[in-house]
Amino acid sequence: MLLTIDIGNTSIAAAVFDGDALTARFRLASDREMDAEACGSHIAAQLRAGGVDPGAIEGAVLSSTVPVLAAAAAGACRAIFGVEPVVVSAETQAGVPLRYDDPSKVGPDRILHAVAAVHRHTPPVIVVDFGTALVFDAVGRDGAYLGGTIAPGIGISARALFDGAAMLDDVEVTAPPSGSVIGRNTVDGMQAGMFYGYVEMVRGMVRRFKEEIGDDATVIATGGYANEIAAASGCVDAIEPDLNFEALRLVYEANT
């Protein structure tokens, strides 16, 4: 079995593949104080809870935007599972050309977007990732990663609003019950501003990306708010929650 680990700023997402079938998935908080032992202990416990014997893990691959947690996860793979993990980078990926000014500076999460895009869809492709950051990535018609844009994610934007405005309480980030962009109370106004504001950002950015890489570009979305925001935008062709896991599996297979 293959353990795939995708480490982000907010959470550590992991999944297990048996061949090309995804059989289990779980999520941990991105605790930067974790060492290899603690990380391995948490992962092993989650595997057992999902009905997976940690001893059945035969390989591992990880991607991380948090260097200290990358070291902890890699150490856990060696100490707990007895495997040397493949670590996603510009050098260890699945053969996608990186047309970035400095390919070594491409975030591993964005490399995964490109890898999954070219293996699952016919380029050009636009990937929209609703994570801690709202990331748009472009894959050109020739299958090369071209770059993209990074904006604050809806979660951290909402938190900045709640923390910075004394008279505004926390509200759920969702469309207001009225469905109107004109809020007639504070809660509806905040929900309309956050939800529809990000819907329009997605629409606008997708339009601009298509102007540069082609109107026929396929648009795929992934990440925590993909179901709500991407669906409401009307410009997303597919929502793929397991996009990065599939890409991790492909990277592993290309490097072993």
Side-chain angles (χ1 to χ4, degrees):
M1 289 188 173
L2 173 66
L3 174 64
T4 62
I5 305 172
D6 185 18
I7 303 172
N9 289 290
T10 304
S11 64
I12 300 171
V16 175
F17 284 87
D18 186 356
D20 58 4
L22 197 159
T23 59
R25 61 171 65 79
F26 57 89
R27 190 174 293 270
L28 305 170
S30 290
D31 180 359
R32 288 165 171 78
E33 301 301 316
M34 278 197 303
D35 58 14
E37 182 179 359
C39 184
S41 177
H42 286 308
I43 291 174
Q46 290 292 332
L47 289 172
R48 293 189 189 96
V52 177
D53 177 6
I57 299 299
E58 300 171 312
V61 55
L62 69 89
S63 166
S64 177
T65 57
V66 186
V68 66
L69 286 178
C77 289
R78 299 182 192 104
I80 306 298
F81 306 111
V83 297
E84 183 65 34
V86 173
V87 180
V88 178
S89 70
E91 290 74 36
T92 56
Q93 47 110 345
V96 176
L98 303 178
R99 301 258 170 82
Y100 214 59
D101 287 347
D102 182 353
S104 69
K105 300 297 184 184
V106 182
D109 54 333
R110 306 180 77 183
I111 291 173
L112 293 180
H113 296 165
V115 168
V118 299
H119 280 82
R120 295 169 68 87
H121 301 275
T122 300
V125 182
I126 301 164
V127 182
V128 187
D129 187 354
F130 294 84
T132 303
L134 176 60
V135 177
F136 296 81
D137 283 314
V139 175
R141 199 171 299 278
D142 62 353
Y145 174 74
L146 304 179
T149 61
I150 306 171
I154 190 169
I156 58 176
S157 292
R159 177 50 50 198
L161 177 63
F162 303 150
D163 291 346
M167 295 184 67
L168 299 181
D169 296 326
D170 291 15
V171 300
E172 183 182 4
V173 180
T174 187
S178 66
S180 173
V181 74
I182 302 173
R184 289 176 170 78
N185 58 68
T186 302
V187 170
D188 280 8
M190 292 171 67
Q191 289 182 323
M194 291 184 291
F195 185 84
Y196 294 120
Y198 271 81
V199 166
E200 293 305 318
M201 186 192 300
V202 171
R203 286 176 177 166
M205 292 302 292
V206 166
R207 174 180 58 79
R208 286 177 174 269
F209 269 61
K210 285 189 172 184
E211 287 173 356
E212 295 197 32
I213 68 171
D215 286 339
D216 60 335
T218 299
V219 183
I220 56 178
T222 192
Y225 285 97
N227 286 334
E228 295 85 359
I229 305 294
S233 73
C235 63
V236 172
D237 298 303
I239 297 173
E240 302 185 6
D242 295 327
L243 187 75
N244 281 8
F245 292 142
E246 292 287 348
L248 283 165
R249 181 180 63 81
L250 291 167
V251 169
Y252 179 83
E253 291 175 353
N255 287 274
T256 54

